[in-house]
Amino acid sequence: MALILGIESTAHTFGVGIVRNGKIIANKRDMYTTESGGIIPVDSARHHRELSPKIYSEALVEAGIEEKDIDAIAFSQGPGLPPCLLEGLKFAKALSERLEKPLVPVNHCVAHLEIGGVTGAKDAVLLYCSGANTQIISYASGKYRVFGETLDTGVGNFIDTFARYAGIGFPGGPKIEKFAHEGKNYIELPYAVKGMDVSFSGILTNLRQKLERKEGSLEDLSFSLQETVFAMLVETAERALAHVGKNELVLGGGVACNSRLQEMARKMCEERGAKYFCPDRSLLVDNGAMIAYLGEIMFNSGISFSGESAEKLDIKPRERTDEVKVRWK
Ligand code: AMP
Ligand code: MG
């Protein structure tokens, strides 16, 4: 029996989740947003600092537990924005000292893959489409391996940057999805897949030019953006499935909330006889529950840090998925 609290703070979201024996019993979060322009790391960190006590108390209430019931505190160690990660680390360390409970450092990207377990996935390929990250990840021969990834920006940041050019604020993804819904004409855009990697910068430049020259309405451009870029992502995910010989696909990341991306991924899985798993929206976006969920798996296999070794724990802003030392599989 373990009761694990998980803290997420890698970018714009501060989240606290609580998991007991693989069941999520709380998942509270708050997201830093702006009216226009992108994410400013120190502002987002301030948001986390201000909101953390409130989110923490709400999570305890939702779970119906008391602080003393917590066995360990898992936190997102990386990758992410350093000021934001530091707020999460500080919060986790203070809690760990006060409650005298150990810390469990969790890799954010691996947590996105493993949370697929709540939907029944056992050994999946993750199509991880978030703001800063775009990767196709799976566990193979002792490591979480990156089979494909973006060669420049994350798909979410790409969509958000396009939205900023169009003057519609952050986050842009949900707004672009609405515009795309009204789009009728497909406007040709560059298609950039290289093996299992993708790139977005050329498409962004092209879209920016089309916006400035008014070659197409925002509706049509949004529609064309989604059709092109999601086809790229699904194509690379399919290639990764074939390459590693797995038959389960899990979606993760905020962009995976997009219903058109979900539809395209589901169809691809149907066509090749693979199982398609799409966790609930609250688990696709950045959240504390996935940190607690993987934290519990790690904790149960004996990974935890107390005392001096806990004090020494630091953030890992640039930790790559394949650098994660896997001692729990
Ligand atoms: P994450 O970094 O995983 O929390 O995801 C945040 C990113 O998801 C931001 O770039 C958002 O613009 C994007 N996003 C959220 N909802 C949608 C949506 N419905 N369609 C496309 N992108 C989305
Ligand atoms: Mg994420």
Side-chain angles (χ1 to χ4, degrees), residues 92-278:
K93 279 191 175 175
L95 201 58
S96 158
E97 271 169 36
R98 192 160 62 76
L99 304 180
E100 299 181 351
K101 295 296 156 112
L103 291 172
V104 182
V106 169
N107 176 281
H108 176 91
C109 304
V110 174
H112 271 293
L113 167 61
E114 293 300 345
I115 195 63
V118 298
T119 55
K122 295 200 167 52
D123 185 19
V125 168
L126 169 72
L127 174 56
Y128 177 33
C129 306
S130 79
N133 302 293
T134 299
Q135 292 188 331
I136 295 160
I137 301 168
S138 196
Y139 184 77
S141 323
K143 265 189 182 182
Y144 289 97
R145 295 177 193 271
V146 180
F147 289 95
E149 66 188 317
T150 176
L151 299 173
D152 38 53
T153 68
V155 61
N157 285 355
F158 153 76
I159 296 176
D160 293 338
T161 308
F162 173 68
R164 192 164 77 230
Y165 294 156
I168 54 178
F170 172 85
K175 293 170 189 163
I176 295 297
E177 180 170 14
K178 285 209 185 85
F179 279 109
H181 215 71
E182 306 300 319
K184 299 206 168 43
N185 305 302
Y186 180 77
I187 298 164
E188 192 149 337
L189 296 173
Y191 188 91
V193 171
K194 297 184 177 88
M196 283 183 266
D197 294 330
V198 291
S199 95
F200 301 111
S201 58
I203 307 176
L204 186 61
T205 307
N206 189 286
L207 277 164
R208 183 179 203 168
Q209 283 168 354
K210 288 192 160 81
L211 261 182
E212 284 167 1
R213 295 178 192 154
K214 301 203 164 51
E215 290 170 20
S217 64
L218 185 54
E219 288 81 357
D220 285 344
L221 289 174
S222 302
F223 169 71
S224 310
L225 176 158
Q226 288 200 168
E227 293 305 303
T228 306
V229 166
F230 296 164
M232 286 164 41
L233 294 170
V234 171
E235 181 191 327
T236 48
E238 177 167 27
R239 198 161 296 148
L241 282 168
H243 178 78
V244 282
K246 296 198 182 187
N247 71 344
E248 294 182 352
L249 182 75
V250 167
L251 297 188
V255 180
C257 295
N258 188 290
S259 37
R260 180 62 179 140
L261 176 60
Q262 291 177 4
E263 184 187 1
M264 287 164 78
R266 185 170 37 77
K267 269 199 194 137
M268 179 273 281
C269 287
E270 272 167 23
E271 278 166 18
R272 58 178 292 119
K275 291 183 193 152
Y276 164 78
F277 297 99
C278 183

